[in-house]
Amino acid sequence: MPTIYREPDYTYEDLVDLVEGQLRVVELTAVNAEIGGPGERLWMSEPGTGASEVYRLWHKGGGKGKGTDKAPARGGYWAVDQDHPWDVMPSLREALAGVLDRLTRPGSASEYALEPGREERDLAVLTELETVWLSGLSPLAGLYGARAVERHLNHELFIPIQAELARAGALRSRMLRERYGTGPDAAGRAATELGWDIGKARTALAAGDEYRQWVRDGAARARDRIAVRRPPGETGLPDVLAATLMTAACAYEDVVPGRPSPVPLPDELARWYVFVQGLGACVAVAVEDAYTPEGSPRDYMRVAPVAMVVQAGWSVRDGVIFSPLPYAEYLDDIEYDEEAVRASGGTALPDESP
């Protein structure tokens, strides 16, 4: 989270006033009550403002000991940080692991038995957590429609959950096989001991083999469906790494294979050249503002019209082209320039609507 306000420039009360007085925000009261330390606050942009940001007031720095309400730990200071909801969600989910675990297994949550009404507080936290997530999706919906939002949720939530359930089923299958074997009477013995019907026992015993076959079938489909792109020139990188970076850059593009560049290319850029329908002659680049050393290439590799890269400038690090191109973080994409597209042999900016 980048810091936008901090002490000693402002007092704690000033920081609260700056957020609530100058920014259109709503406080995440349920989340704050669950995870906020003394004096810590979380807000998010008010729905309908066209913005999607989360603001956190907390004590930072190398302070020792415990902070109190309005007084940070010794040596620390209060600060307001700002970040995009998508980037906040991993830390929020980690901090709210207890709440999410109870909501996953409400029937075995001792807290619900010990504290009547606790489930309502947890559901209020979940409502705010969902609001944070959806606020990050709202610009996507406005630009590309409901299908783009559905695809994002499917990719980020549903597919991982389904895969985790399948792995759990495979683990249970292995446990059952180690106990009951794989012979013709295994399902009957499992059903009798566990109180299951015979059909459920057979399904559970078979889940391990089915999961592994599902993985193999999925890998085969990936090889058929995903076009692997390789740089046309020698990059100095291992072949697999170079192909990984190029494939990530072209993941969502309509590539025209074998089409030469209609504009001259500097030698360094020619190694990463690709022609994209609509955008024209492009270069696969690592976008400076999106790059993190530990990140996935899909997070920072993009294609950019040659004219944009030449105008913005570039450097070569570890064989990869880096360029400080204008980057819309909330869309995870480069902000293309119409003139640069046409100067690179493109016809028009691509229509991204679903």
Side-chain angles (χ1 to χ4, degrees):
M1 280 187 170
T3 296
I4 58 172
Y5 307 122
R6 59 166 290 177
E7 280 189 338
D9 304 307
Y10 305 100
T11 66
Y12 175 89
E13 289 79 7
D14 287 337
L15 293 174
V16 174
D17 289 343
L18 284 167
V19 175
E20 296 188 337
Q22 297 189 15
L23 304 171
R24 292 177 59 184
V25 296
V26 292
E27 184 171 354
L28 303 176
T29 54
V31 172
N32 287 339
E34 183 66 29
I35 66 173
E40 295 184 2
R41 312 270 289 272
L42 276 170
W43 300 268
M44 61 172 292
S45 298
E46 190 177 88
T49 60
S52 55
E53 303 291 347
V54 173
Y55 301 90
R56 180 187 182 191
L57 172 62
W58 63 310
H59 39 84
K60 298 178 73 172
K64 297 181 182 292
K66 284 192 173 183
T68 61
D69 190 4
K70 303 181 184 177
R74 181 169 51 87
Y77 59 92
W78 287 103
V80 176
D81 289 352
Q82 172 188 6
D83 214 342
H84 190 276
W86 293 352
D87 297 324
V88 173
M89 284 300 295
S91 60
L92 276 181
R93 284 186 293 195
E94 181 179 355
L96 296 169
V99 172
L100 297 176
D101 186 60
R102 288 193 294 273
L103 292 172
T104 301
R105 302 174 179 83
S108 59
S110 60
E111 292 89 345
Y112 291 162
L114 295 167
E115 302 176 56
R118 179 61 191 249
E119 69 278 10
E120 295 303 327
R121 299 206 303 273
D122 285 353
L123 288 171
V125 169
L126 179 63
T127 297
E128 290 185 351
L129 199 62
E130 291 171 343
T131 302
V132 172
W133 186 278
L134 292 176
S135 74
L137 292 175
S138 59
L140 194 65
L143 286 169
Y144 306 135
R147 282 186 292 175
V149 175
E150 194 281 329
R151 284 195 297 268
H152 183 87
L153 285 175
N154 192 50
H155 182 266
E156 296 292 335
L157 291 178
F158 299 133
I159 290 176
I161 289 170
Q162 291 164 356
E164 190 62 32
L165 285 172
R167 282 195 294 270
L171 177 61
R172 180 173 66 177
S173 173
R174 177 173 175 178
M175 180 271 291
L176 293 174
R177 287 181 176 213
E178 290 182 355
R179 180 172 181 83
Y180 302 110
T182 57
D185 62 340
R189 291 194 299 115
T192 299
E193 186 168 328
L194 297 171
W196 293 351
D197 64 63
I198 191 70
K200 179 177 179 178
R202 290 195 183 104
T203 299
L205 281 163
D209 289 340
E210 291 176 356
Y211 172 72
R212 282 160 175 76
Q213 187 58 49
W214 174 75
V215 171
R216 295 182 181 109
D217 291 344
R221 286 196 302 274
R223 285 188 283 271
D224 289 338
R225 293 174 52 235
I226 298 175
V228 174
R229 308 294 181 186
R230 304 182 189 280
E234 179 55 53
T235 66
L237 299 175
D239 290 344
V240 171
L241 176 56
T244 298
L245 295 169
M246 194 72 177
T247 299
C250 300
Y252 306 109
E253 307 298 344
D254 185 7
V255 172
V256 183
R259 184 160 174 177
S261 174
V263 295
L265 283 170
D267 290 343
E268 289 178 331
L269 301 185
R271 300 167 189 165
W272 292 93
Y273 164 75
V274 61
F275 194 95
V276 175
Q277 188 68 42
L279 290 178
C282 290
V283 180
V285 300
V287 181
E288 289 277 10
D289 286 348
Y291 176 74
T292 55
E294 69 280 2
S296 164
R298 282 180 175 264
D299 295 337
Y300 58 80
M301 290 298 297
R302 298 291 185 271
V303 295
V306 172
M308 284 189 71
V309 178
V310 171
Q311 182 177 3
W314 76 89
S315 60
V316 180
R317 301 205 300 267
D318 300 323
V320 181
I321 305 296
F322 281 78
S323 185
L325 296 164
Y327 184 74
E329 185 176 351
Y330 66 97
L331 293 177
D332 290 331
D333 208 353
I334 293 170
E335 294 181 327
Y336 295 112
D337 177 82
E338 183 80 34
E339 291 186 8
V341 170
R342 296 189 183 280
S344 302
T347 55
L349 289 177
D351 180 6
E352 297 283 47
S353 59

